[in-house]
């Protein structure tokens, strides 16, 4: 029995040696041997300078192996997958208690029903999408029309403003001093002298303007302010 177990123990124990029948009664004794060489161990002295010669290969056999290797792997993979499928099928049938063919038929019917339902939903979604796209196109067309109308209105207003500016400039150009009426303008300016002086108080407010003041707008405002002050004094007196 020990002889039969020695090969199995040799995987764990480096070497088991059975000497004679007397050792059967006392058990096995061990002989110390060197373990497998590690990767970090240096090269053996007897192997220094040794160049390994590759084993000879038959060229015809090598070429035939290369040509048939893919076919061999495909055939083996197919056979292995076939066996796995058969085992899986049997295990499923045993666990479910029904035939896999019937189950596959039920699955196909359910799949067809789902496809029909999907087609119906797609049809309804298509109708909704077409209606939405039509409405969006209509709104976009209306928006473009409104933008064009607004642009035309702005252009009309701008043209009207330009026309008004041109009209005012034409009216104002009648009083422009040109080379033709330069002498008349000089004589009129000398005949109607204008005074640009005005009086102010400590606060910087304009208090008085001469009669021939050139600041017509300032004179008008000063007169209106004076009139309002007098009116307030009269109301306070009453």
């Amino acid at each position: 029995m020990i002889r039969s177990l020695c090969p199995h123990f040799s995987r764990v124990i480096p070497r088991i040696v059975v000497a004679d029948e007397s050792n059967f009664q006392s058990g096995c004794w061990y002989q110390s041997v060197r373990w497998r060489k590690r990767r970090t161990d240096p090269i053996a002295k007897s192997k220094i300078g040794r160049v390994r010669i590759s084993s000879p290969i038959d060229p015809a056999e090598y070429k035939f192996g290369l040509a048939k290797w893919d076919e061999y792997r495909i055939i083996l993979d197919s056979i292995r997958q076939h066996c796995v499928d058969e085992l899986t099928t049997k295990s499923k049938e045993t666990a479910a208690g029904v035939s896999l063919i019937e189950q596959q038929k039920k699955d196909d019917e359910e799949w067809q029903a789902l496809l029909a339902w999907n087609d119906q939903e797609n049809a309804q979604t298509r109708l909704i999408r077409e209606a939405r796209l039509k409405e969006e196109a209509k709104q976009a067309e209306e928006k473009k029309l409104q933008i064009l109308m607004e642009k035309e209105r702005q252009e009309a207003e701008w043209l009207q403003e330009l026309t008004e500016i041109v009209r005012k400039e034409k009216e104002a150009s009648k009083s422009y001093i040109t080379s033709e009426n330069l002498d008349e303008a000089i004589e009129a300016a000398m005949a109607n002298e204008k005074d640009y002086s005005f009086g102010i108080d400590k606060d910087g407010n304009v208090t008085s303007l001469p009669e021939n003041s050139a600041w017509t707008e300032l004179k008008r405002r000063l007169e209106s302010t004076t009139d309002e002050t007098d009116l307030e004094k009269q109301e306070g007196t009453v």
Side-chain angles (χ1 to χ4, degrees):
M1 179 179 179
I2 295 179
R3 291 181 180 275
S4 61
L5 294 177
C6 283
H8 300 284
F9 289 153
S10 62
R11 298 178 182 177
V12 182
I13 303 174
R15 186 176 179 185
I16 299 177
V17 179
V18 180
D20 51 17
E21 294 296 334
S22 62
N23 291 330
F24 291 158
Q25 299 177 4
S26 60
C28 299
W29 60 277
Y30 308 102
Q31 179 181 355
S32 178
V33 295
R34 183 180 177 184
W35 292 84
R36 182 175 178 84
K37 184 177 179 180
R38 294 186 297 270
R39 294 173 62 91
T40 56
D41 290 342
I43 189 171
K45 295 181 180 180
S46 60
K47 298 294 182 68
I48 296 177
R50 172 178 174 269
V51 178
R52 183 181 181 279
I53 301 175
S54 301
S55 302
I57 299 176
D58 186 6
E61 183 179 355
Y62 179 73
K63 185 177 180 180
F64 179 80
L66 287 179
K68 295 296 182 179
W69 174 252
D70 293 337
E71 182 180 355
Y72 167 75
R73 293 302 307 170
I74 291 173
I75 293 174
L76 277 187
D77 291 342
S78 301
I79 295 173
R80 187 181 295 108
Q81 187 63 36
H82 178 71
C83 295
V84 171
D85 292 342
E86 283 189 351
L87 183 60
T88 305
T89 302
K90 290 181 180 179
S91 61
K92 287 183 178 179
E93 290 180 353
T94 304
V98 295
S99 175
L100 192 62
I101 298 176
E102 296 179 358
Q103 185 65 31
Q104 184 68 27
K105 185 178 180 180
K106 291 181 181 179
D107 293 341
D108 292 341
E109 292 176 356
E110 183 179 0
W111 175 252
Q112 293 300 327
L114 289 175
L115 287 178
W117 174 80
N118 186 49
D119 294 339
Q120 183 179 0
E121 291 294 325
N122 288 338
Q124 294 179 0
T125 306
R126 183 177 65 254
L127 295 177
I128 297 173
R129 181 174 63 254
E130 290 177 354
R132 176 175 56 81
L133 292 176
K134 187 181 296 184
E135 184 65 22
E136 289 179 356
K138 183 179 179 181
Q139 293 178 0
E141 190 68 24
E142 292 178 356
K143 187 175 181 180
K144 289 181 180 179
L145 183 61
Q146 291 178 0
I147 292 174
L148 290 175
M149 293 176 62
E150 181 66 19
K151 187 175 181 180
E152 290 178 357
R153 185 185 65 79
Q154 293 178 358
E155 290 179 354
E157 292 180 356
W158 180 64
L159 183 61
Q160 186 176 359
E161 292 178 0
L162 290 180
T163 305
E164 184 67 19
I165 292 172
V166 171
R167 186 186 64 79
K168 290 182 180 180
E169 290 296 328
K170 286 182 179 180
E171 291 291 334
S173 65
K174 295 178 180 179
S175 61
Y176 288 170
I177 298 175
T178 61
S179 58
E180 288 79 7
N181 59 358
L182 180 60
D183 295 336
E184 297 178 0
I186 293 174
E187 292 178 358
M190 294 178 64
N192 300 318
E193 295 182 359
K194 298 294 182 179
D195 191 358
Y196 290 89
S197 302
F198 55 88
I200 59 175
D201 55 9
K202 294 181 179 180
D203 297 330
N205 299 321
V206 178
T207 57
S208 62
L209 289 172
E211 293 296 332
N212 59 345
S213 176
W215 308 101
T216 56
E217 182 65 22
L218 182 60
K219 185 177 181 179
R220 184 184 62 79
R221 286 188 295 173
L222 185 61
E223 290 176 354
S224 63
T225 304
T226 304
D227 295 340
E228 290 178 358
T229 305
D230 294 340
L231 183 61
E232 290 178 357
K233 288 181 179 180
Q234 291 178 2
E235 290 178 354
T237 304
V238 175

